[in-house]
Amino acid sequence: MSGRIVAALRRHRDRSPDAVAVRAGTDAGWRATTWTQLHDAARSVAAHAPSMLDRTPVVLLLDGGAAGIATLLGLADAGVDLLLLEERNSFLTDHESVIRRCGASVVVGPERRPPDSFRYLSYLECARPFPSGGTGRAAGEPEILQLTSGSTGEPRAARQPLRNLVRGGRLYRDLFALTDRDVVLAAVPLAHSFGLVGGLAAALVSGATLCTVTRFHPRRMLEGLDRATTFLGTPLVYQMLTPLLPSRRGGHAHLRTVLTSGGPLAPGLAASIADRLGTGVRQVYGSTETGLIACEPGLGGPAREGRVGRPAPGVQVRVTPGDGRLLVRTRTMFTGYLGEPARGDGYYDTGDVARVDADGSLVLVGRKSTFVNVGGRKVNPRRIERVVAEHPGVREAVVYGASGTAGEEEVNAAVVLVPGTRVEDVVAFCRSRGLMPFEVPHRVHVLDRLPRTGMGKVDLPRVIAAGRP
């Protein structure tokens, strides 16, 4: 299956050798990479990858640049299992995270860093010979592993065969009529399913130019919008961009497809974005485990609260009687979680509560409560809770999501402290443990004790009520 990726690169190289495959926005400006350059870079990585084939996943840090994309494609072509992370993440420094538990020993990223307990290789080093410790090309199809928010407990790594990346890209290509004349601007991390499949894979199979940013930069986003025909963002991205865009319907006449995922987009924000970009925002609904579940392939009127569109081709849905839980089966189902028994071919429980309207559209009437959705980034509260509880001045802790002043969810913590411990100490401790800014509790509420139910479990509704002003 990895051969299909190489074949796509070769096809685009032969057909349009000097056409731009990737245009990456950096602090210094835009850097263009042609299909010939991307193909050659990926093949160079594949040729020098055998020493990494020990059947434990290689951790790949993706910064959105062309070198990282070429490294991903080259290692996948060589049969390497890849666990994808954003370049800036807190999992590598967390000794209890799934990264450590999966036995990964090699980390590949954009620059040379202190090795810590990992062997660290830069993108450039992956394209050069280095001492071999492997056994040659890996047998079987490589897997792409991505971290999930986790339905319970700590985050897990969902295993996706490489063929699902190609299938998912074709699905986006066909639904949104992408061709080699399109420019896809992905304002989302490529390490996450929406960016990886809806952005990278869709561009790869269609021949479209993929525009990325190595870090969120409003100026680069606005410049990218001046070229883009398709835009991928999260509710937080649209909230940040709206004040920067003049109200000028039709001002981006070339922009025909605007997609959002990672959480519900408020109708008011959707209307504001439509006014500024000249086209409506289409909801995309899916998960790391399943790939694309539902979407709005066309613009059928004003946005409706909770509506996520009709099931995508090949998707089967069930809504359980009574509690309304949404179960789905797709053509891009994951094969299980890393380190856990393989799952069957049945339906996946999304954890969402839904109904199916008369026109076949899915409407979400309840959301998962097991993670905090910070601008489309899923934060597992149990993991943050564990870090907070490791502070010697914290006797008890519970972490949860609460609405902030702008309507977005924020990470909150309720704690019982040892006398003399300050809230500032707890926040500083979380930062020192490598948590990302959006993972650090935005508010820490000090309680005399955590209220509990008759079964001894933390009574979260009472905790939340106690933390309100």
Side-chain angles (χ1 to χ4, degrees), residues 168-180:
R170 289 172 175 164
L171 191 56
Y172 273 87
R173 177 196 65 188
D174 296 343
L175 282 169
F176 302 109
L178 295 174
T179 72
D180 58 4

Side-chain angles (χ1 to χ4, degrees), residues 343-432:
R343 59 179 304 281
D345 293 329
Y347 284 75
Y348 173 73
D349 186 345
T350 65
D352 289 334
V353 179
R355 72 169 187 269
V356 180
D357 273 0
D359 64 356
S361 296
L362 279 175
V363 179
L364 302 184
V365 297
R367 298 291 294 174
K368 295 178 182 178
S369 60
T370 55
F371 57 79
V372 184
N373 189 340
V374 184
R377 296 172 184 265
K378 308 302 191 297
V379 178
N380 188 286
R382 301 290 77 78
R383 175 171 173 262
I384 308 305
E385 197 173 282
R386 170 171 56 78
V387 173
V388 172
E390 289 174 355
H391 188 287
V394 175
R395 286 176 173 166
E396 291 185 290
V398 62
V399 172
Y400 57 94
S403 295
T405 55
E408 290 285 338
E409 267 198 302
E410 299 172 341
V411 178
N412 279 221
V415 296
V416 179
L417 299 178
V418 173
T421 304
R422 303 174 304 166
V423 166
E424 294 85 346
D425 299 331
V426 177
V427 173
F429 177 79
C430 291
R431 290 175 178 149
S432 72

Side-chain angles (χ1 to χ4, degrees), residues 396-397 449-460 462-463:
E396 291 185 290
R449 63 181 181 85
L450 296 184
R452 296 183 180 274
T453 67
M455 297 296 292
K457 296 182 178 180
V458 173
D459 190 335
L460 190 56
R462 290 172 61 196
V463 169

